[in-house]
Amino acid sequence: DKGKAEASGAPRGAENEADENRGILALTRVIPDGPKCKSIVDRSISFFSAVGDMRVDIDKCKRLCESYVKEDKSQFDESFVATRLLGLNYLQRYFYSILYVCYLRCGTSL
């Protein structure tokens, strides 16, 4: 799988990312050079992963929310709502990063 990820230009550890972020992948298909822009953002995130990796943070929030549901805690619990909003914030930042790279690439081709 590593060879497949490297051959496609995807960063290491991104093999399961397609399963995790289907919505992001669907949205990137609609923007010009979306998959290439996503690849650029993913490489940038991997490069600065020592500082922080928003893909890991998205996964952590998702797992925490799933654990709340499995434990039958109220979905109106403050911790659940805060975790859900934080995960949404990370997803928005991730997608906006992809859009920004697309904007920069389109601006240079004009």
Side-chain angles (χ1 to χ4, degrees):
D1 285 335
K2 284 183 183 179
K4 183 179 175 184
E6 290 173 5
S8 69
R12 290 183 186 178
E15 298 88 20
N16 295 326
E17 188 175 341
D19 295 332
E20 297 297 322
N21 295 316
R22 286 186 206 128
I24 295 289
L25 287 174
L27 288 171
T28 59
R29 289 186 191 112
V30 199
I31 58 177
D33 289 332
K36 184 167 180 92
C37 295
K38 181 184 176 305
S39 175
I40 292 168
V41 170
D42 287 341
R43 284 183 296 190
S44 299
I45 290 170
S46 294
F47 184 76
F48 292 103
S49 64
V51 177
D53 188 335
M54 75 173 78
R55 293 170 302 176
V56 171
D57 294 333
I58 290 168
D59 189 49
K60 283 181 189 176
C61 289
K62 180 181 176 186
R63 290 180 196 279
L64 280 171
C65 287
E66 288 172 352
S67 70
Y68 275 108
V69 173
K70 286 180 185 175
E71 294 174 8
D72 290 330
K73 290 187 177 180
S74 169
Q75 291 191 358
F76 297 107
D77 183 45
E78 288 180 19
S79 299
F80 176 82
V81 173
T83 303
R84 182 69 104 183
L85 288 174
L86 185 62
L88 179 62
N89 189 337
Y90 286 132
L91 275 172
Q92 287 175 334
R93 282 192 229 169
Y94 184 47
F95 185 66
Y96 290 149
S97 299
I98 296 167
L99 286 177
Y100 186 68
V101 169
C102 178
Y103 169 76
L104 292 175
R105 289 177 53 81
C106 288
T108 58
S109 65
L110 294 176

